[in-house]
Amino acid sequence: MGASASIKKLRHLLLRWSGVALFLLAWELAPRLEWVDPYFLPPFSTVVAEIDRLFTSAWLSVHILVSLWRALAGLLIAVLIGIPAGLLLGRVYPRIANAVSPLLKVLSQVNPFSLLPVFVLFFGIGEAAKLAVVAWVSVWPVLFYTMTGSRNVDTVQEKTAASMGIGPWALLVKVILPGALPTIFVGVRIAATVTFYILVAAEMLGASAGLGYLVHNAAMNYQIPRIYAGATFIVVFGFLLNRGLIALGDRLFCWQETEAVAPADGPAPSRPSWRPGRFSACAAAAATVVLLVLGGIEVGKVNREAASLTPGDHSRHFGTPVDSGSGS
């Protein structure tokens, strides 16, 4: 049975990734067979070599740290705003929520780049404007999912807590918030994925470092393999970020699966405290703090260096030299 299950799992993985493998094979063969111009679409092996060159030069790690810091800082701002606001609108002031819900839905559909001049007007051209764009994009999934999760908490838990004389604010913090956490986490995961891609686009408009800046600078210097290398890394990084958050959610809220598969006529499953997966949560929190600290140091260093350089020196310093093998 074990060998049969392993074979089935292997077949499933091969079938699942066969499309990606065929795409990469076509990418490698099409330029070499001159089905497309290899100058505008270099072979995939050339792109992989460029990614290795970027890692070797240590510049890719700088761009990754800077982008991660901006994404995490903006997402943290959105969480600090979206969760309390979602709890208040979802549970404490439901009438106000019904009144402002159409306005919130309209605002959530506003293109963040159309508001970029407004953010620059209020926050300047530094990091604050980029963080404002990130926070604007990511606050809406967090807010809406918090409102939904707070309204769908098990009423039995609420009545039990109320019968024990718990106050309204204690009920909100000790019952409503823990019960809504799985739904809130889905909103945070969606916000994190969307935030990453929006941030990359924002860095193309105005930044001195970051993954978006890396691609934009390569395009301005006609470093074609570097454009594809940066874009490939962004796609892979976004995929890994989403899968990592899904895995973290499975570890944090594994008790949901236990309740779902429990037999109706059997004994009730032992439900852990409202903070399952504490090790995973602590590890994720520690990693976030480390990335915020290291990224903040790198962002400060990059901004100081960018402010001290002329435009020509800026391109050479942050874009890495053109003669590094990333041209045609």
Side-chain angles (χ1 to χ4, degrees):
M1 293 296 293
S4 177
S6 300
I7 294 175
K8 289 182 179 180
K9 186 176 181 180
L10 179 61
R11 289 178 178 176
H12 174 72
L13 290 176
L14 291 176
L15 180 62
R16 184 175 182 179
W17 292 98
S18 59
V20 176
L22 290 175
F23 172 78
L24 296 179
L25 180 62
W27 186 354
E28 179 69 25
L29 293 179
R32 295 190 180 279
L33 298 177
E34 296 187 352
W35 295 343
V36 296
D37 191 337
Y39 178 80
F40 295 105
L41 181 63
F44 179 67
S45 58
T46 304
V47 175
V48 172
E50 183 62 26
I51 294 176
D52 178 69
R53 187 179 295 111
L54 288 171
F55 268 114
T56 304
S57 65
W59 270 111
L60 187 58
S61 61
V62 173
H63 294 301
I64 292 172
L65 269 178
V66 171
S67 291
L68 278 178
W69 181 85
R70 289 168 179 158
L72 288 175
L75 183 61
L76 181 61
I77 294 172
V79 167
L80 293 177
I81 295 174
I83 293 181
L87 291 174
L88 290 175
L89 292 176
R91 298 294 305 199
V92 182
Y93 304 110
R95 292 184 179 180
I96 296 179
N98 292 332
V100 301
S101 181
L103 175 62
L104 294 178
K105 291 180 180 179
V106 170
L107 292 176
S108 67
Q109 300 301 317
V110 175
N111 191 320
F113 297 110
S114 64
L115 298 177
L116 188 59
V118 179
F119 293 145
V120 172
L121 179 64
F122 280 95
F123 302 108
I125 60 175
E127 296 295 332
K130 300 180 185 66
L131 295 182
V133 172
V134 173
W136 176 270
V137 172
S138 55
V139 72
W140 302 113
V142 178
L143 175 64
F144 291 141
Y145 274 83
T146 301
M147 292 172 61
T148 301
S150 64
R151 290 170 177 172
N152 295 331
V153 175
D154 189 359
T155 56
V156 175
Q157 298 180 15
E158 298 182 46
K159 293 179 180 179
T160 302
S163 66
M164 299 176 64
I166 190 171
W169 289 106
L171 177 69
L172 189 67
V173 174
K174 296 183 178 181
V175 178
I176 304 300
L177 177 59
L181 273 181
T183 305
I184 294 174
F185 186 83
V186 174
V188 174
R189 178 173 61 84
I190 294 174
T193 306
V194 175
T195 292
F196 180 74
Y197 292 113
I198 291 295
L199 173 63
V200 168
E203 289 175 340
M204 293 182 182
L205 298 179
S208 57
L211 293 174
Y213 171 81
L214 174 66
V215 175
H216 178 71
N217 182 269
M220 293 299 99
N221 290 285
Y222 299 99
Q223 299 170 299
I224 306 301
R226 184 161 297 172
I227 297 175
Y228 288 99
T232 300
F233 189 82
I234 289 170
V235 172
V236 173
F237 194 82
F239 172 79
L240 294 177
L241 174 64
N242 184 59
R243 298 303 304 178
L245 289 173
I246 292 176
L248 178 61
D250 293 339
R251 294 293 301 274
L252 293 177
F253 309 110
C254 57
W255 47 268
Q256 286 185 312
E257 297 182 1
T258 303
E259 292 183 343
V261 301
D265 55 349
S270 58
R271 176 171 175 170
S273 63
W274 70 277
R275 292 177 295 178
R278 294 183 181 182
F279 177 79
S280 299
C282 292
T288 300
V289 171
V290 171
L291 289 174
L292 285 173
V293 173
L294 295 180
I297 294 173
E298 200 63 49
V299 167
K301 184 189 301 184
V302 165
N303 289 337
R304 287 192 300 270
E305 292 177 353
S308 64
L309 295 174
T310 62
D313 293 335
H314 178 275
S315 177
R316 289 192 297 270
H317 184 74
F318 291 100
T320 66
V322 178
D323 60 354
S324 63
S326 51
S328 61

Short mmCIF file of all heavy atoms in Angstrom, two decimals, residues 260-285:
data_model
loop_
_atom_site.label_atom_id
_atom_site.label_comp_id
_atom_site.label_asym_id
_atom_site.label_seq_id
_atom_site.Cartn_x
_atom_site.Cartn_y
_atom_site.Cartn_z
N ALA A 260 -13.95 18.85 11.13
CA ALA A 260 -14.71 18.56 9.91
C ALA A 260 -14.84 17.06 9.68
O ALA A 260 -15.87 16.58 9.19
CB ALA A 260 -14.04 19.21 8.70
N VAL A 261 -13.81 16.28 10.03
CA VAL A 261 -13.84 14.85 9.77
C VAL A 261 -14.34 14.04 10.97
O VAL A 261 -14.42 12.81 10.89
CB VAL A 261 -12.43 14.34 9.38
CG1 VAL A 261 -11.93 15.06 8.15
CG2 VAL A 261 -11.44 14.54 10.54
N ALA A 262 -14.67 14.70 12.07
CA ALA A 262 -15.13 13.97 13.24
C ALA A 262 -16.49 13.35 12.96
O ALA A 262 -17.37 13.96 12.35
CB ALA A 262 -15.24 14.92 14.44
N PRO A 263 -16.74 12.09 13.37
CA PRO A 263 -18.03 11.46 13.14
C PRO A 263 -19.12 12.14 13.95
O PRO A 263 -18.90 12.60 15.07
CB PRO A 263 -17.81 10.01 13.61
CG PRO A 263 -16.65 10.09 14.56
CD PRO A 263 -15.79 11.20 14.05
N ALA A 264 -20.31 12.20 13.34
CA ALA A 264 -21.41 12.91 14.00
C ALA A 264 -21.85 12.21 15.28
O ALA A 264 -22.29 12.85 16.24
CB ALA A 264 -22.59 13.04 13.03
N ASP A 265 -21.78 10.86 15.30
CA ASP A 265 -22.25 10.13 16.46
C ASP A 265 -21.12 9.73 17.40
O ASP A 265 -21.33 9.03 18.38
CB ASP A 265 -23.00 8.87 16.02
CG ASP A 265 -22.14 8.01 15.10
OD1 ASP A 265 -21.08 8.50 14.65
OD2 ASP A 265 -22.53 6.86 14.82
N GLY A 266 -19.89 10.17 17.09
CA GLY A 266 -18.76 9.82 17.93
C GLY A 266 -18.49 10.89 18.96
O GLY A 266 -19.19 11.90 19.06
N PRO A 267 -17.48 10.67 19.76
CA PRO A 267 -17.13 11.65 20.78
C PRO A 267 -16.62 12.93 20.14
O PRO A 267 -16.03 12.91 19.06
CB PRO A 267 -16.04 10.95 21.59
CG PRO A 267 -15.45 9.94 20.64
CD PRO A 267 -16.59 9.49 19.79
N ALA A 268 -16.84 14.03 20.80
CA ALA A 268 -16.40 15.32 20.28
C ALA A 268 -14.88 15.38 20.29
O ALA A 268 -14.24 14.94 21.24
CB ALA A 268 -16.97 16.45 21.14
N PRO A 269 -14.28 15.87 19.21
CA PRO A 269 -12.82 15.94 19.16
C PRO A 269 -12.30 16.93 20.18
O PRO A 269 -12.95 17.92 20.49
CB PRO A 269 -12.54 16.41 17.72
CG PRO A 269 -13.77 17.15 17.33
CD PRO A 269 -14.91 16.45 18.01
N SER A 270 -11.13 16.63 20.69
CA SER A 270 -10.53 17.55 21.65
C SER A 270 -9.97 18.74 20.91
O SER A 270 -9.02 18.62 20.15
CB SER A 270 -9.41 16.84 22.42
OG SER A 270 -8.44 16.34 21.51
N ARG A 271 -10.58 19.90 21.13
CA ARG A 271 -10.16 21.11 20.44
C ARG A 271 -9.11 21.83 21.27
O ARG A 271 -9.30 22.07 22.47
CB ARG A 271 -11.36 22.03 20.23
CG ARG A 271 -10.99 23.36 19.60
CD ARG A 271 -12.22 24.13 19.21
NE ARG A 271 -11.88 25.45 18.72
CZ ARG A 271 -12.75 26.26 18.14
NH1 ARG A 271 -14.00 25.88 18.00
NH2 ARG A 271 -12.38 27.44 17.73
N PRO A 272 -8.00 22.18 20.67
CA PRO A 272 -6.97 22.87 21.42
C PRO A 272 -7.38 24.30 21.72
O PRO A 272 -8.46 24.74 21.38
CB PRO A 272 -5.75 22.82 20.47
CG PRO A 272 -6.36 22.73 19.12
CD PRO A 272 -7.62 21.94 19.28
N SER A 273 -6.49 25.02 22.35
CA SER A 273 -6.76 26.42 22.66
C SER A 273 -6.89 27.21 21.37
O SER A 273 -6.64 26.72 20.28
CB SER A 273 -5.63 26.99 23.51
OG SER A 273 -4.42 26.98 22.78
N TRP A 274 -7.26 28.48 21.48
CA TRP A 274 -7.51 29.29 20.29
C TRP A 274 -6.23 29.70 19.59
O TRP A 274 -6.26 30.42 18.62
CB TRP A 274 -8.34 30.52 20.65
CG TRP A 274 -7.62 31.55 21.45
CD1 TRP A 274 -7.42 31.58 22.78
CD2 TRP A 274 -6.99 32.74 20.95
NE1 TRP A 274 -6.73 32.69 23.15
CE2 TRP A 274 -6.46 33.43 22.05
CE3 TRP A 274 -6.86 33.30 19.68
CZ2 TRP A 274 -5.78 34.64 21.92
CZ3 TRP A 274 -6.18 34.50 19.55
CH2 TRP A 274 -5.65 35.16 20.66
N ARG A 275 -5.09 29.21 20.07
CA ARG A 275 -3.81 29.49 19.43
C ARG A 275 -3.08 28.20 19.10
O ARG A 275 -2.03 27.90 19.67
CB ARG A 275 -2.95 30.38 20.34
CG ARG A 275 -3.49 31.77 20.51
CD ARG A 275 -2.64 32.58 21.46
NE ARG A 275 -2.69 32.02 22.81
CZ ARG A 275 -2.01 32.52 23.85
NH1 ARG A 275 -1.21 33.56 23.67
NH2 ARG A 275 -2.11 31.96 25.04
N PRO A 276 -3.63 27.38 18.21
CA PRO A 276 -2.93 26.16 17.81
C PRO A 276 -1.72 26.49 16.95
O PRO A 276 -1.64 27.56 16.36
CB PRO A 276 -3.99 25.39 17.01
CG PRO A 276 -4.85 26.45 16.45
CD PRO A 276 -4.89 27.55 17.49
N GLY A 277 -0.81 25.55 16.85
CA GLY A 277 0.37 25.79 16.05
C GLY A 277 1.20 26.92 16.60
O GLY A 277 1.66 27.78 15.85
N ARG A 278 1.42 26.93 17.92
CA ARG A 278 2.13 28.06 18.53
C ARG A 278 3.56 28.18 18.03
O ARG A 278 4.08 29.28 17.86
CB ARG A 278 2.11 27.90 20.06
CG ARG A 278 0.72 28.01 20.66
CD ARG A 278 0.78 27.92 22.17
NE ARG A 278 -0.56 28.01 22.74
CZ ARG A 278 -0.81 27.99 24.04
NH1 ARG A 278 0.19 27.87 24.90
NH2 ARG A 278 -2.04 28.08 24.49
N PHE A 279 4.20 27.02 17.82
CA PHE A 279 5.57 27.06 17.33
C PHE A 279 5.64 27.72 15.95
O PHE A 279 6.52 28.54 15.69
CB PHE A 279 6.16 25.65 17.27
CG PHE A 279 7.55 25.59 16.71
CD1 PHE A 279 8.64 25.93 17.49
CD2 PHE A 279 7.76 25.22 15.39
CE1 PHE A 279 9.93 25.89 16.97
CE2 PHE A 279 9.03 25.17 14.87
CZ PHE A 279 10.11 25.51 15.66
N SER A 280 4.70 27.34 15.07
CA SER A 280 4.67 27.94 13.73
C SER A 280 4.39 29.43 13.81
O SER A 280 5.00 30.23 13.07
CB SER A 280 3.60 27.25 12.88
OG SER A 280 3.88 25.87 12.72
N ALA A 281 3.46 29.82 14.70
CA ALA A 281 3.15 31.24 14.84
C ALA A 281 4.35 32.01 15.36
O ALA A 281 4.68 33.10 14.86
CB ALA A 281 1.96 31.42 15.78
N CYS A 282 5.04 31.45 16.36
CA CYS A 282 6.22 32.13 16.91
C CYS A 282 7.34 32.21 15.87
O CYS A 282 8.03 33.24 15.76
CB CYS A 282 6.70 31.41 18.16
SG CYS A 282 5.57 31.53 19.56
N ALA A 283 7.52 31.14 15.10
CA ALA A 283 8.55 31.14 14.07
C ALA A 283 8.25 32.18 12.99
O ALA A 283 9.14 32.90 12.53
CB ALA A 283 8.68 29.75 13.45
N ALA A 284 6.97 32.26 12.57
CA ALA A 284 6.58 33.24 11.56
C ALA A 284 6.77 34.66 12.09
O ALA A 284 7.25 35.56 11.37
CB ALA A 284 5.14 33.02 11.14
N ALA A 285 6.40 34.89 13.37
CA ALA A 285 6.56 36.21 13.96
C ALA A 285 8.03 36.59 14.07
O ALA A 285 8.42 37.73 13.78
CB ALA A 285 5.89 36.26 15.33
#
